[in-house]
Amino acid sequence: MTSGDEPGTSGQSLVAAVFACLADETRREVLDVVLRHGRVSASAIAREVPVSRQAIAKHLTLLAEAGLVGSERVGREVLYAVRPEPLQAAARWLDRSAAAWDRRLASLKASAERGD
């Protein structure tokens, strides 16, 4: 665990931003398209996601603000690619939360079996 993953630090802000961003189904779909292609333009995403090109641009901006995608200008196009670090931070948070619940449930089970 890095200090950025500790509660109350920027890691928590990052995880919150990731979850807030991914709460939207269309943004998850846009992110899936970027994942599938590796590097892809907004126009190519718009051909696969049934929303306007302007909506794609807004979703890409929000994904970039959450750190989930990065962009690079290649000639006249801007190509987007997934940045894995924020997703990894969210996955670590989920793993820690799941482990904490597993410990609580195991303790409750043991207590019930002892008749406490």
Side-chain angles (χ1 to χ4, degrees):
M1 182 182 321
T2 65
S3 62
D5 297 327
E6 295 293 331
T9 67
S10 62
Q12 280 299 98
S13 299
L14 174 65
V15 170
V18 168
F19 286 135
C21 191
L22 295 180
D24 182 87
E25 183 177 349
T26 302
R27 272 192 292 283
R28 289 192 309 273
E29 190 173 352
V30 168
L31 189 62
D32 284 342
V33 171
V34 177
L35 277 166
R36 264 196 316 277
H37 289 276
R39 287 178 22 165
V40 64
S41 69
S43 297
I45 295 168
R47 287 192 290 273
E48 295 187 39
V49 179
V51 296
S52 70
R53 172 67 175 79
Q54 291 80 12
I56 295 295
K58 285 184 178 184
H59 288 298
L60 285 167
T61 297
L62 292 169
L63 287 164
E65 287 173 358
L68 291 165
V69 297
S71 62
E72 175 186 7
R73 182 167 288 284
V74 177
R76 292 183 8 207
E77 285 190 313
V78 175
L79 299 180
Y80 294 87
V82 171
R83 296 186 64 241
E85 299 85 2
L87 290 170
Q88 292 165 343
R92 285 190 300 271
W93 181 87
L94 287 169
D95 287 343
R96 285 192 306 273
S97 295
W101 275 106
D102 288 346
R103 287 189 301 274
R104 288 181 189 123
L105 291 172
S107 177
L108 180 61
K109 179 182 177 200
S111 180
E113 289 173 346
R114 287 190 308 270
D116 293 348

